[in-house]
Amino acid sequence: MDKSVCQAYEDEIQALEEEIRLLTEQYEDIQQESTFFSEEEILKSIKSFQGETQGETEGHESPSDLIAQLESLEKDLSFLMKLTGFQFTSHSKKTLEKTANRTVQKHRLSGKCHSLSFQLEFQLLEMQDNEKVSAVVSDLSIVMESRDDSDVSKFVSSTEERGDVLTFFRSFSTYAEWYEHRRCTFLHFKAKYPDIVTLPEGLLGDFIILRNPKVSGLELMIVWKIHLDEEGTTTPVLDLLPKVPEQVLEQRMRSVESIPSSFRSALRLFGIEVAIENLIKVLGSGK
């Protein structure tokens, strides 16, 4: 091979190595500063990067492979969001301390899981001992929708005390999924039976009321609580509270008293939606 050609290749390699070194230094500098990127800003940066790479001059490697990888990552992210229900809207990170084997960073996260919003703030200490890397979370602070609920408040306090970020995400995902399931179920029955189903506290309430328009004073309240204990276990609890006119109560005391237990049996046998559906149909057929 001609020496001039070899020299040209060597010069180009050196230039690329120098560019990599400069980019590495820039990246490390950025890591020392606070960063804050919203989802909108990330998408703008991606589009800007795609536009810049498409305008590259001849002689540089085609960016098509990189763009394909980027699209693949976007699909994976979309899949994970659908699977877990989580959507992060903002993240900021600030390096407080950095040595050869110790790094302390402060993180702020906010986002939504299904229809519930949350905010996290914590410090992350990473220590490296030979090939082993350990991480410790401290100063965890959680702002979570529905914290006015005593069960949720106890869970948040317990999780903050333990600094257990993983338990928070796992438990909050299950809790928010049940919360969304309840909301969608109430919406479904209100739309399907508008004359019978009433939502006194709206879709975010924890009960619905069933009324037969032909029977004055007869009401069935379905209470649907979502309990979250300090360990992060979510348990849906449903019950039926009947309100019956006195004249009907005197005539049919036994049948009225059996309504709640029959509803609980239907829940165990058929599930929530079918049990509510059957109750509405029985109530609607009464005269």
Side-chain angles (χ1 to χ4, degrees):
M1 182 179 292
D2 191 276
K3 290 184 178 180
S4 61
V5 176
C6 291
Q7 185 62 42
Y9 280 126
E10 290 177 358
D11 292 343
E12 185 173 352
I13 290 173
Q14 290 179 358
L16 289 172
E17 289 176 342
E18 178 65 15
E19 185 176 355
I20 291 172
R21 184 185 67 79
L22 291 174
L23 289 173
T24 301
E25 291 178 356
Q26 292 177 11
Y27 173 77
E28 290 176 349
D29 291 340
I30 292 173
Q31 288 294 90
Q32 297 298 323
E33 301 175 357
S34 176
T35 57
F36 184 90
F37 301 101
S38 67
E39 185 177 1
E40 182 179 358
E41 289 170 333
I42 292 173
L43 291 175
K44 285 183 179 179
S45 298
I46 291 172
K47 292 178 180 178
S48 175
F49 172 75
Q50 291 174 336
E52 290 174 2
T53 53
Q54 289 172 359
E56 294 278 338
T57 58
E58 292 184 1
H60 288 268
E61 185 179 356
S62 171
S64 58
D65 291 342
L66 186 58
I67 293 175
Q69 292 178 20
L70 185 60
E71 291 175 347
S72 177
L73 289 173
E74 288 176 339
K75 290 180 180 178
D76 291 342
L77 178 61
S78 177
F79 170 75
L80 288 173
M81 287 168 56
K82 292 179 181 178
L83 181 66
T84 64
F86 279 105
Q87 181 177 3
F88 296 100
T89 54
S90 67
H91 171 231
S92 68
K93 176 176 63 176
K94 185 177 183 179
T95 301
L96 304 178
E97 178 186 342
K98 186 172 184 180
T99 62
N101 58 0
R102 174 187 171 94
T103 302
V104 180
Q105 293 177 327
K106 187 172 185 177
H107 291 261
R108 288 189 179 93
L109 282 170
S110 64
K112 299 184 70 175
C113 185
H114 297 291
S115 60
L116 297 180
S117 60
F118 66 91
Q119 294 179 13
L120 291 183
E121 182 176 318
F122 59 90
Q123 286 191 16
L124 180 65
L125 167 62
E126 291 184 333
M127 296 176 290
Q128 184 168 359
D129 182 12
N130 295 327
E131 296 182 355
K132 184 179 179 181
V133 178
S134 60
V136 178
V137 173
S138 63
D139 297 335
L140 176 61
S141 176
I142 301 172
V143 177
M144 178 176 162
E145 195 170 338
S146 296
R147 187 166 180 171
D148 54 343
D149 183 295
S150 60
D151 287 341
V152 174
S153 181
K154 290 178 182 178
F155 163 72
V156 169
S157 298
S158 175
T159 305
E160 288 176 335
E161 185 178 347
R162 299 195 307 268
D164 196 343
V165 176
L166 181 59
T167 293
F168 167 76
F169 282 116
R170 181 173 60 246
S171 302
F172 186 55
S173 176
T174 304
Y175 177 83
E177 186 175 0
W178 271 108
Y179 199 92
E180 181 68 8
H181 179 45
R182 181 179 66 183
R183 188 187 70 83
C184 291
T185 301
F186 285 177
L187 177 62
H188 165 74
F189 286 117
K190 177 59 179 176
K192 189 173 182 179
Y193 303 102
D195 296 333
I196 296 177
V197 177
T198 303
L199 302 173
E201 295 184 351
L203 293 174
L204 300 183
D206 56 13
F207 69 93
I208 61 175
I209 292 179
L210 311 181
R211 294 190 180 98
N212 185 335
K214 299 178 182 179
V215 181
S216 178
L218 176 60
E219 292 183 0
L220 299 178
M221 176 187 291
I222 299 176
V223 181
W224 185 345
K225 298 285 187 179
I226 302 175
H227 293 305
L228 180 63
D229 65 22
E230 294 184 18
E231 299 303 318
T233 301
T234 300
T235 306
V237 179
L238 287 90
D239 207 351
L240 180 66
L241 304 176
K243 178 183 177 182
V244 184
E246 291 185 4
Q247 61 271 23
V248 176
L249 187 62
E250 293 173 357
Q251 296 173 1
R252 302 181 179 181
M253 174 65 78
R254 290 186 179 180
S255 60
V256 170
E257 289 179 340
S258 67
I259 293 177
S261 60
S262 298
F263 177 69
R264 289 191 287 269
S265 297
L267 285 172
R268 290 192 295 269
L269 291 173
F270 306 114
I272 296 173
E273 290 81 1
V274 174
I276 295 177
E277 179 90 30
N278 290 340
L279 186 63
I280 292 174
K281 287 181 177 179
V282 170
L283 180 66
S285 64
K287 296 183 180 180

